[in-house]
Amino acid sequence: MTRSIIEHTRAESESRGREAGLCPDCETETIVHDPDRGERVCEECGLVLTEDPIDYGPEWRAFNAQEHDELSRVGAPLTQSMHDRGLTTTIDWRNRDANGHSMSADKHGQLHRLRVWQERIRTKNAGERNLKYALSEIDRMVSALGVPKPVKETASVIYRQALDQDLIRGRSIEGVATSALYTACRKEGIPRSLEEVTGVSRVDQREIGRTYRYIADELDINLEPTNPRQFVPRFCSELDVDKNVESKAIEIIDETTTQGLHSGKSPTGFAAAAIYAAGLLCEETIPQRAVADTAQTTVVTVRNRYREQLEAIDQQPAT
C-alpha cells in the first residue's frame, strides 16, 4: 500500500514537472528535444523524459541518383518555369505500361485522346496560353545558351511579373521572354552578352535591348554594369590558352577598368582585347580573328581596344 502511494506521488511529480518544463529528477529547466532520436532529454542529468521514435524518412534505401529517382514516389518540386508550376500530371508519349510492355491498339487510341484533353485542360485562358508559350521559349533559349537552372527560374519569375503588370501589351511574347532571360543572366552573374542571347532568339537585337530597358525600369530592377572580366574565363577556355594568359588578362581588365577605360565600350570586345593583349605580353600567339570570333565581335574592335589597354597600363609586348 505504501509502495503504491510512493509510485503514485512520483508519477504526479513527474507529470507536474513535464507540464512546468522541469526535469523530475534534478528539477532543472534544461529539457531539450532531440529531433534525430525523437526524444525529450534533460541536458543536466541525461534523463529521457519522452520517446517518440518515428522515422519520417522513406522505408527504402538508395545508393545512387538513379535508384533514388526510381524508388521515389513523390512528385517533382514546384517550379516557376512551368505555367502550372508543375502541379498537373503528365502523360508519357510512349505507349507502354508500368512494366515497359507495349499496349494494344485500342489503348493507343485511348491514350491519344487522354493526351489531347490533358493539354486542353492545362491552359484555361489566353493568359495561361501566353505564359505557357513564353516559358517554353525561355526553356529553349536556356538549353541553347547552356546556362544553369537558377537562371531559368529567375527569368520565369521576371516574365510572370511582367505579365501580372500588363507589360506584355503591344510587345511580342518572344521579345519579352528574351529580355527576361537576358535580365536573369545579368542578375545571376552569368556572363552572356546581348549578341549571344540574340543568336538564340527569334527577335532582333534592337527589340531585345529596347524591351529589356523598359522591363527593367518598370519592374525596378537595378543591375550593375557588366564587368568584362566575367567573360575572360569562358573565352580563355574556348580559345584553350594558358592559365598565365587568363590571369594576365584579368589583371589588365582590373587596371584599365579602375581608370574608367571600359566606360561606354562593349564588355565582350573589351574582354577579347584584354586576352589578346595578355597573349602578346605572355609571348603566346593568339590570332586576332580567333579572339574576335569567340567574343562575337570584330577584328577592328579587338585591335583598337588592345592598343588602348597596353597604352593605359604602360606596357608593350616584347619584339
Side-chain angles (χ1 to χ4, degrees):
M1 182 68 179
T2 305
R3 183 177 179 180
S4 61
I5 294 175
I6 295 174
E7 290 178 352
H8 180 71
T9 304
R10 182 180 298 175
E12 288 184 350
S13 175
E14 291 179 358
S15 177
R16 287 194 300 270
R18 293 191 189 100
E19 293 176 357
L22 300 176
C23 175
D25 191 25
C26 61
E27 297 184 353
T28 58
E29 297 182 358
T30 56
I31 299 174
V32 295
H33 180 261
D34 185 356
D36 295 331
R37 300 175 63 92
E39 298 175 346
R40 292 177 67 245
V41 185
C42 176
E43 281 188 323
E44 187 69 24
C45 64
L47 177 66
V48 178
L49 278 73
T50 57
E51 291 180 302
D52 188 19
I54 299 177
D55 185 5
Y56 294 97
E59 79 284 359
W60 44 264
R61 293 190 299 170
F63 300 97
N64 54 49
Q66 182 178 358
E67 289 184 4
H68 184 276
D69 293 339
E70 291 176 352
L71 295 173
S72 179
R73 296 190 296 275
V74 297
L78 293 180
T79 174
Q80 298 294 332
S81 60
M82 298 179 67
H83 75 283
D84 53 10
R85 292 182 172 83
L87 291 173
T88 58
T89 56
T90 302
I91 302 177
D92 194 11
W93 59 271
R94 292 168 294 189
N95 295 318
R96 296 183 178 275
D97 59 17
N99 296 321
H101 300 150
S102 180
M103 294 183 177
S104 63
D106 294 339
K107 289 291 184 180
H108 288 186
Q110 182 181 2
L111 285 174
H112 175 72
R113 290 191 296 273
L114 287 173
R115 292 190 191 98
V116 171
W117 279 106
Q118 175 68 9
E119 288 300 316
R120 288 176 180 175
I121 65 175
R122 287 184 69 182
T123 52
K124 299 178 181 178
N125 50 46
E128 287 192 2
R129 288 193 294 271
N130 177 318
L131 185 60
K132 181 180 178 182
Y133 176 69
L135 296 182
S136 67
E137 276 292 292
I138 291 175
D139 183 63
R140 180 187 63 81
M141 292 185 289
V142 164
S143 178
L145 289 172
V147 296
K149 186 177 179 180
V151 174
K152 181 169 70 171
E153 292 289 329
T154 303
S156 302
V157 171
I158 293 174
Y159 188 89
R160 287 176 182 273
Q161 292 174 346
L163 185 63
D164 291 341
Q165 298 189 23
D166 200 23
L167 304 181
I168 317 295
R169 188 182 300 275
R171 293 170 178 81
S172 66
I173 297 176
E174 294 89 349
V176 178
T178 308
S179 303
L181 177 58
Y182 179 65
T183 306
C185 287
R186 293 192 57 180
K187 194 172 183 179
E188 295 293 329
I190 303 299
R192 291 296 184 274
S193 65
L194 186 58
E195 292 78 10
E196 290 177 291
V197 176
T198 304
V200 300
S201 177
R202 303 184 193 272
V203 294
D204 56 39
Q205 183 172 331
R206 180 177 297 180
E207 181 180 349
I208 297 172
R210 184 171 60 248
T211 308
Y212 154 73
R213 289 188 292 270
Y214 172 73
I215 289 179
D217 183 60
E218 291 294 326
L219 297 181
D220 196 22
I221 301 175
N222 299 316
L223 299 172
E224 295 291 331
T226 304
N227 193 330
R229 68 176 294 171
Q230 293 180 335
F231 295 93
V232 172
R234 183 161 60 91
F235 289 170
C236 288
S237 177
E238 294 180 11
L239 291 167
D240 194 22
V241 298
D242 192 76
K243 281 291 183 182
N244 294 330
V245 176
E246 181 179 338
S247 301
K248 189 65 178 177
I250 292 176
E251 290 180 11
I252 293 173
I253 290 176
D254 289 342
E255 188 171 346
T256 52
T257 51
T258 301
Q259 300 177 23
L261 190 64
H262 70 298
S263 180
K265 298 179 176 65
S266 169
T268 53
F270 201 83
I275 294 172
Y276 181 74
L280 294 177
L281 297 177
C282 296
E283 299 182 1
E284 181 173 342
T285 304
I286 308 174
Q288 287 186 5
R289 172 60 62 184
V291 179
D293 290 344
T294 301
Q296 296 185 2
T297 187
T298 63
V299 175
V300 176
T301 300
V302 175
R303 188 181 302 124
N304 293 338
R305 297 292 175 267
Y306 98 85
R307 289 172 179 170
E308 295 174 357
Q309 291 170 352
L310 291 179
E311 186 177 345
I313 64 177
D314 195 21
Q315 291 190 34
Q316 292 300 325
T319 57

